[in-house]
Amino acid sequence: MSFLTDKGKEQLKDFALFVIKELGIEKSPTIAIQNGRKKLITTANYDYTKENKIIKVNAHKRALVDVMRSLAHELTHHKQFEQGRLKVQPPDIGGEIEDEANAKAGQFIKMYAKKD
């Protein structure tokens, strides 16, 4: 993650641990912060179809808070998977699963800002 400052890396790691704890995630997925989209269609993705669950987030030319929001969104999808609620790929826009991930991501950003 040489494209992030050392301080940014530490904040992102701390934020990830904060969200994982708040969501009560049982087994953390692999988290990959990318310098560019590479194979991502959007800014972030959660792949729950493989045994090793992975979250990929594009951080290239994005504000740290936006990267954090994307990470929280995808971690919320991971929790939904752990709960057995994420059985098929949700639509990119709207629907219960996607709306919850968007709302939770915003909540975690506000909660973390008050904490930090």
Side-chain angles (χ1 to χ4, degrees):
M1 290 191 296
S2 61
F3 50 95
L4 289 173
T5 65
D6 287 342
K7 183 179 178 182
K9 290 177 195 177
E10 286 302 313
Q11 284 182 308
L12 193 55
K13 181 179 177 182
D14 186 58
F15 178 74
L17 294 172
F18 170 77
V19 174
I20 288 166
K21 181 180 177 187
E22 288 294 319
L23 284 170
I25 287 176
E26 295 171 27
K27 184 177 179 193
S28 297
T30 298
I31 298 170
I33 306 301
Q34 302 180 173
N35 186 11
R37 283 193 179 198
K38 299 181 182 174
K39 293 183 180 180
L40 288 175
I41 295 170
T42 59
T43 55
N45 177 265
Y46 169 58
D47 188 350
Y48 60 90
T49 62
K50 297 184 176 101
E51 185 175 338
N52 181 26
K53 310 299 182 242
I54 186 165
I55 291 172
K56 294 179 182 177
V57 180
N58 174 18
H60 182 69
K61 295 186 178 182
R62 295 177 69 203
L64 183 60
V65 69
D66 191 38
V67 174
M68 289 175 166
R69 190 210 56 79
S70 291
L71 179 56
H73 178 102
E74 301 306 332
L75 282 167
T76 300
H77 282 321
H78 180 69
K79 181 61 180 181
Q80 292 165 337
F81 177 81
E82 285 187 340
Q83 294 169 329
R85 297 173 50 220
L86 190 62
K87 298 180 191 308
V88 297
Q89 187 69 32
D92 284 338
I93 301 170
E96 178 186 344
I97 295 293
E98 197 63 17
D99 289 349
E100 178 184 11
N102 285 327
K104 288 282 190 192
Q107 290 170 359
F108 289 131
I109 291 296
K110 287 182 179 181
M111 290 166 61
Y112 187 76
K114 287 182 179 182
K115 170 193 155 320
D116 191 36

